[in-house]
Amino acid sequence: MTNTPSFIGERLKELRRRRGMTQAEFAQMLGVTKETIYRYEHGAQEPSLSRLASIAKCLDISADCLLGIRDDVDCLCFNPNTLSLSQEQQEALRQFLLSLRK
């Protein structure tokens, strides 16, 4: 696992894009400038812990997913193969995958 600012930025950019958001839209959700998002995504600035929590909340993911600690079920909603599923279908699939771990 690598959680350098550039890794976090690349991860953030990918997750934001998969959500179909522009930098400006995401910045507005977070209450920051578009330039701040640009700096995060290009590794020029590292988000604070409280900002990481806000980012994870806005993207509806765990901080582990954002940091690359977990890349499986927690990030399921960002898998391109599941984007066409409804929220209910994604949750059902998530629960099924979790049951396989037991």
Side-chain angles (χ1 to χ4, degrees), residues 26-65:
F26 191 57
Q28 185 175 16
M29 285 180 70
L30 282 176
V32 298
T33 65
K34 178 182 166 188
E35 290 74 21
T36 298
I37 300 302
Y38 177 89
R39 288 192 303 267
Y40 290 163
E41 290 183 358
H42 289 85
Q45 181 178 348
E46 188 172 337
S48 66
L49 287 176
S50 62
R51 183 70 69 207
L52 281 173
S54 296
I55 290 169
K57 186 174 181 178
C58 284
L59 293 173
D60 194 26
I61 58 170
S62 70
D64 287 355
C65 178

Side-chain angles (χ1 to χ4, degrees), residues 2-3 5 41 65 71:
T2 306
N3 59 359
E41 290 183 358
C65 178
D71 217 8

